[in-house]
Amino acid sequence: MCLAVPMEVKHIEGEVADVEIGGVRKQIRLDLIEDKPAVGEFVIIHAGFAIRILNREEALETLKIFQEGWNLDLI
Amino acid sequence: MTSSDPLRDPARCKELLAQIEESVKGSTLRFMEVCGTHTVALFRSGVHSLLPKSVVHLTGPGCPVCVTHESEVAAYLELAGKEGVIIATFGDLMRVPGPGGASLKKAHAEGARVEVVYSPFDALAIARDNPGDKVVFLGIGFETTTPTVAATVRIARQEGLKNFLVMPFHKLVPPALDALLSDPDMAVEGFMLPGHVSAIIGMEPYRPLAERYRIPAVVAGFEPVDLLQAILLMAEMKRQGKPKVINNYKRVVADEGNPKARAIVAEVYKPVDALWRGIGTIPLSGLGFTDAYRAYDAFEVLGVELKASKPLPGCRCGEVLKGIMRPDECPLFGKACTPAQPVGPCMVSTEGSCAAYFKYQIDLNSDR
Ligand code: SF4
């Protein structure tokens, strides 16, 4: 039940968004996030609500740190 | 980064495994994960079986279905089948055994009105369609799920929908970690912290882990590289004697969490003492309705009470949830208790430790 998955935003109307991943389309609510996502962005969905917009730069940043000689103080 | 390759890259995983091995050399790392999705991810990705023997994985109380107390199960089962009541629930609760072998599934087969929903929001439609009945949503789950229920209650109020009720069984993670750590038998050397719970609560609530208990802790994602990075960070912090609380899942977890979701929860709910299976009462580890939202409290509106209820005979879920016992050490594991014929909730939920051990047949003969 705790599965929270990233899905791509396809369409937004008020607090409701259509999202899609791998051909599966769903309607979800945006009540729980402050800034509304843009179409094309990914949101993390849990139990029918978006709980966060996925931050792609951060993902790349983390990978980079680990690759380039990381240490505890960097993280 | 949905399933993008860098986070599953085998070469990168191998490198991280070698670094972990190096870091724990001559020592151990007993780490606990407190999220059922991590339990499953560790097994399914194969990371669990690749770890050096000196890295010991303990599963903690991170499965919301499993920690739902037997008294809470008895309370909702008492409601199922009542005239004018429709139970709306996440599917995971359907097969959870209650007193005398009762379950929602059984109640449903015997005529009780039980509807499985994917989102609490879907329960509102059931309430709209059945104005003469009370629709009771079973509000289980941790900080990730709670905001979805609170937001739904708020929408019900805005709509003036009066026949939607919630049984608030919500649980809070930080007080449970605190309770676990006050047990002198706990020999945890690192915490893999839940990814999506943290997306809501942020990093602040975890500070005491490092500051007070001196235990390294890392918020982790769910891909193989995420899991291994988190283990490496815990191992290094332990080796260097520098316990910190690290957010290594920044693509999803902001350090401040999600303040809007927390504000919605705080409007609808307030912290109350709560019962946890196998652990008992943990102070201020659950949520009850604030006065403004009492009209949505199924306990109050329908006059239900939590009564003392006996633990399931023979089931060791309580010890499994505290990381004291490994699932396959339970005498019933794989014999009287299987996913097809579960004795306890830890074998029911796909995120339950017993179900995960059974499904992946992990290292049953090894000593970890
Ligand atoms: S194996 Fe079954 S009986 Fe044993 S602790 Fe797990 S759920 Fe309970």
Side-chain angles (χ1 to χ4, degrees), chain A residues 2-62:
Chain A
C2 287
L3 208 62
V5 288
M7 293 181 88
E8 189 181 347
V9 176
K10 291 289 182 191
H11 180 78
I12 297 180
E13 211 164 311
E15 295 287 347
V16 180
D18 292 325
V19 293
E20 187 188 298
I21 190 114
V24 181
R25 240 185 140 95
K26 251 194 176 89
Q27 209 164 63
I28 55 115
R29 306 257 341 164
L30 301 172
D31 310 65
L32 295 177
I33 49 178
E34 187 68 54
D35 302 316
K36 298 301 169 230
V39 168
E41 276 192 302
F42 280 76
V43 284
I44 306 286
I45 314 288
H46 177 66
F49 287 78
I51 56 169
R52 159 96 164 155
I53 301 171
L54 194 72
N55 188 327
R56 281 168 183 273
E57 286 87 61
E58 286 288 6
L60 297 173
E61 187 59 27
T62 303

Side-chain angles (χ1 to χ4, degrees), chain B:
Chain B
M1 283 298 135
T2 53
S3 56
S4 56
D5 294 333
L7 293 170
R8 296 183 176 178
D9 178 22
R12 205 178 291 240
C13 288
K14 240 173 130 178
E15 208 178 286
L16 284 162
L17 272 165
Q19 287 172 309
I20 291 169
E21 200 139 355
E22 185 60 35
S23 179
V24 292
K25 212 181 227 163
S27 176
T28 58
L29 176 69
R30 292 169 55 84
F31 81 91
M32 178 178 266
E33 123 286 291
V34 277
C35 164
T37 313
H38 274 150
T39 316
V40 174
L42 281 161
F43 288 147
R44 193 173 42 206
S45 63
V47 164
H48 187 276
S49 57
L50 294 172
L51 289 171
K53 281 256 183 296
S54 45
V55 177
V56 179
H57 160 230
L58 307 168
T59 64
C63 158
V65 177
C66 308
V67 299
T68 302
H69 192 267
E70 47 268 17
S71 296
E72 297 175 325
V73 174
Y76 70 64
L77 286 172
E78 186 188 317
L79 270 189
K82 260 203 178 162
E83 189 62 30
V85 169
I86 302 173
I87 303 278
T89 178
F90 293 125
D92 313 50
L93 278 183
M94 287 300 280
R95 293 168 63 230
V96 171
S103 71
L104 279 179
K105 192 176 171 214
K106 218 161 150 193
H108 180 61
E110 288 161 2
R113 296 161 79 191
V114 183
E115 301 265 358
V116 171
V117 291
Y118 155 73
S119 166
F121 183 74
D122 298 340
L124 293 184
I126 303 173
R128 271 180 232 115
D129 292 345
N130 297 275
D133 300 307
K134 301 275 190 227
V135 173
V136 179
F137 181 75
L138 306 182
I140 65 161
F142 297 112
E143 287 93 335
T144 330
T145 315
T146 309
T148 70
V149 183
T152 301
V153 172
R154 261 170 111 230
I155 297 166
R157 186 156 101 157
Q158 280 155 14
E159 278 188 26
L161 203 58
K162 296 215 162 67
N163 63 331
F164 171 77
L165 306 174
V166 174
M167 282 194 132
F169 296 139
H170 310 290
K171 306 274 189 285
L172 306 174
V173 169
L177 294 180
D178 231 33
L180 279 179
L181 287 169
S182 58
D183 186 331
D185 290 340
M186 275 287 289
V188 172
E189 297 168 318
F191 275 108
M192 181 180 278
L193 297 170
H196 299 126
V197 163
S198 309
I200 305 295
I201 68 177
M203 301 305 291
E204 197 46 44
Y206 300 124
R207 297 284 165 227
L209 292 177
E211 282 161 20
R212 190 162 144 218
Y213 298 106
R214 310 278 310 153
I215 297 182
V218 182
V219 172
F222 300 90
E223 300 292 346
V225 167
D226 289 323
L227 300 169
L228 289 165
Q229 283 176 347
I231 295 167
L232 177 58
L233 289 173
M234 287 187 280
E236 267 305 292
M237 284 192 275
K238 189 195 161 199
R239 189 180 71 79
Q240 297 181 27
K242 276 197 214 159
K244 299 205 282 182
V245 180
I246 292 177
N247 177 5
N248 199 48
Y249 191 33
K250 292 208 174 97
R251 64 186 187 274
V252 171
V253 176
D255 286 353
E256 71 278 14
N258 179 338
K260 183 172 185 195
R262 287 204 302 274
I264 290 174
V265 171
E267 181 186 326
V268 176
Y269 293 119
K270 60 178 185 220
V272 294
D273 297 350
L275 278 167
W276 295 60
R277 187 183 295 263
I279 300 174
T281 302
I282 303 179
L284 303 180
S285 67
L287 294 167
F289 281 99
T290 52
D291 283 344
Y293 284 89
R294 276 167 65 185
Y296 297 90
D297 187 347
F299 284 103
E300 192 158 321
V301 174
L302 300 174
V304 195
E305 274 172 25
L306 282 187
K307 300 186 192 94
S309 187
K310 287 200 190 74
L312 296 162
C315 177
R316 313 291 290 268
C317 265
E319 283 142 285
V320 169
L321 291 169
K322 286 190 278 190
I324 296 172
M325 180 182 265
R326 226 174 40 198
D328 56 299
E329 289 166 350
C330 167
L332 303 188
F333 178 87
K335 301 185 185 90
C337 182
T338 62
Q341 211 85 72
V343 171
C346 304
M347 191 59 97
V348 174
S349 170
T350 45
E351 290 148 25
S353 309
C354 299
Y357 265 75
F358 189 90
K359 178 162 181 203
Y360 297 98
Q361 293 287 323
I362 305 303
D363 294 333
L364 294 190
N365 301 312
S366 87
D367 53 3
R368 67 163 73 175

